[in-house]
Amino acid sequence: MAEDFKVTPWEVTGDIDYDVLMKRFGTTPIDEAMIKRIAKYGEVHPMLRRGIFYSHRDLGWLLDEYDKGNRFYLYTGRGPSGNTHLGHMMPWIFNKWVQDTFKVKMIFQMTDDEKFLFKDLTLHDTRDMAYENALDFVALGFDPDNTKIIVDTENIDRLYPIALRVAKKVTFSTAKDVFGFEGSSNIGKIFFTTLESAPAFLPSEIEGKPTPVVVPCGIDQDPHFRVTRDVAPGLGYPKPSMLYCKMCPSLNGGDKMSSSDEMATIYTTDTPKQVKKKVGRAFTGGCVSVEEQREKGGNPEVCAVFKYNYYLFEYDDAKLNEMAEKCRNGEILCGECKVALTSKINVFLEAHQAKREEAKEIVQKMAFDGFKW
């Protein structure tokens, strides 16, 4: 069935119909009129042009405020439970474009408490992973003077008063309905969403006035921010605007890259040999023989290799369209495309891993309230 899929902040299963999901969550499509408006501020990012960031809440209002001189804050984050993979990086890359285009401040939240509550991990585990993930975030080149990293357990003194006010507005029945909690759910899980709400309101506290916030993130995070937006007016804060992206696909042909399938996931710490092996096993949907592929062509719409180019590794639309056409016509073979993608990923990772080492000298400067890594 078209609607036989599940998308929550902690679980994504089935083949996602993003149009159905948008209607299910009640978000608004990013249409051509909105893209034209965004183009007034700078070159439109490929993730917008291609509909990867495809849905929003109150983006028009946010831009209206920006045009009035009321600058917004960026807010996104990461639940540190394992090594960073390219699926995690995708929305961060887009956030970097937003910061560069609009020259705004950013808050990046590390929800180490969330992963302690929802997974079989110690606080020591999640704290260490927060640092490792932060290096990947910093390596992308965010403005160190205008970007702050929050780690929930380190910055709880700033988050907790806001979280308490949120918690007082959210009923247990709402938490059950939105997140599917059951009687066996630990009470920390039930409280956690208030801590994900807090950074959306923190800029208003920092600036001493109602301050717009936009959250570019995966659409699987929408349940958290529906709650956040519902309680905002009653607390005297602006509702955060949302920019939602589709999931970065897996190399096995699935809709979302997952850390649970290491051979279908590219990590930022992978070696060239590991990348070659993983891409070599990627699902393409190609024909069983060279002759048949030359005759019938391939199907880029289902090919994980093509999707990786579409989402991350080919920003030139003309080159991407040419790649797709050659695939359909049988002019290029799956093996050739895998070799080319392997090279692109390894070039990216070589540069990123060098910047990741440099990030060790910068990350402390970006710690919110100066906590010590």
Side-chain angles (χ1 to χ4, degrees), residues 25-255:
F25 285 173
T27 62
T28 302
I30 297 175
D31 57 17
E32 284 302 315
M34 181 60 74
I35 290 176
K36 285 181 180 178
R37 180 170 184 184
I38 294 169
K40 295 191 303 182
Y41 305 99
E43 185 178 355
V44 175
H45 196 279
M47 291 183 195
L48 280 170
R49 292 200 312 266
R50 295 175 185 174
I52 296 167
F53 271 86
Y54 83 113
S55 179
H56 75 95
R57 294 187 190 273
D58 287 342
L59 181 56
W61 172 82
L62 183 90
L63 296 176
D64 289 344
E65 291 297 306
Y66 183 82
D67 289 343
K68 295 174 189 175
N70 192 9
R71 291 204 167 190
F72 58 84
Y73 271 61
L74 270 168
Y75 160 38
T76 197
R78 161 86 175 119
S81 61
N83 291 326
T84 306
H85 60 58
L86 295 183
H88 302 132
M89 297 273 281
M90 189 185 78
W92 303 353
I93 290 168
F94 181 79
N95 273 270
K96 171 70 164 52
W97 171 82
V98 177
Q99 184 178 63
D100 291 346
T101 300
F102 292 91
K103 310 300 183 202
V104 292
K105 296 178 181 179
M106 177 165 197
I107 290 174
F108 187 84
Q109 181 187 29
M110 288 287 187
T111 57
D112 58 332
D113 50 345
E114 174 195 18
K115 295 308 176 184
F116 169 73
L117 291 166
F118 282 83
K119 291 183 174 288
D120 186 21
L121 296 168
T122 68
L123 284 172
H124 180 77
D125 293 334
T126 57
R127 180 64 172 70
D128 285 352
M129 200 53 65
Y131 175 75
E132 293 299 323
N133 293 170
L135 296 179
D136 288 302
F137 170 76
V138 174
L140 290 175
F142 288 89
D143 179 356
D145 294 321
N146 287 304
T147 305
K148 292 300 177 185
I149 301 171
I150 287 174
V151 176
D152 284 0
T153 56
E154 293 286 345
N155 301 115
I156 193 63
D157 57 329
R158 295 294 296 271
L159 298 176
Y160 192 56
I162 301 173
L164 277 179
R165 293 199 291 273
V166 173
K168 199 169 182 177
K169 297 285 187 180
V170 181
T171 66
F172 180 49
S173 61
T174 295
K176 287 200 298 181
D177 289 344
V178 173
F179 300 108
F181 294 134
E182 300 175 348
S184 60
S185 300
N186 70 62
I187 60 175
K189 293 180 180 181
I190 298 162
F191 182 76
F192 168 73
T193 195
T194 66
L195 284 159
E196 190 142 330
S197 296
F201 303 143
L202 186 58
S204 293
E205 297 292 330
I206 293 170
E207 299 295 332
K209 63 179 182 179
T211 301
V213 171
V214 64
V215 189
C217 62
I219 196 167
D220 57 326
Q221 297 301 306
D222 181 69
H224 282 303
F225 294 105
R226 289 205 301 273
V227 173
T228 304
R229 285 169 52 83
D230 283 348
V231 303
L235 296 172
Y237 299 117
K239 291 183 178 183
S241 299
M242 308 303 302
L243 270 169
Y244 289 129
C245 66
K246 300 173 182 178
M247 306 293 106
C248 188
S250 166
L251 284 172
N252 66 11
D255 280 335

Side-chain angles (χ1 to χ4, degrees), residues 288-326:
V288 295
S289 68
V290 171
E291 294 76 14
E292 187 180 1
Q293 184 88 1
R294 294 290 190 197
E295 178 185 350
K296 296 181 178 178
N299 183 1
E301 282 72 26
V302 303
C303 175
V305 174
F306 180 79
K307 287 179 181 179
Y308 261 59
N309 281 290
Y310 186 90
Y311 277 72
L312 283 168
F313 289 103
E314 184 49 76
Y315 278 12
D316 188 315
D317 289 344
K319 289 182 179 179
L320 189 75
N321 292 335
E322 180 183 7
M323 187 186 306
E325 193 62 22
K326 285 184 175 180

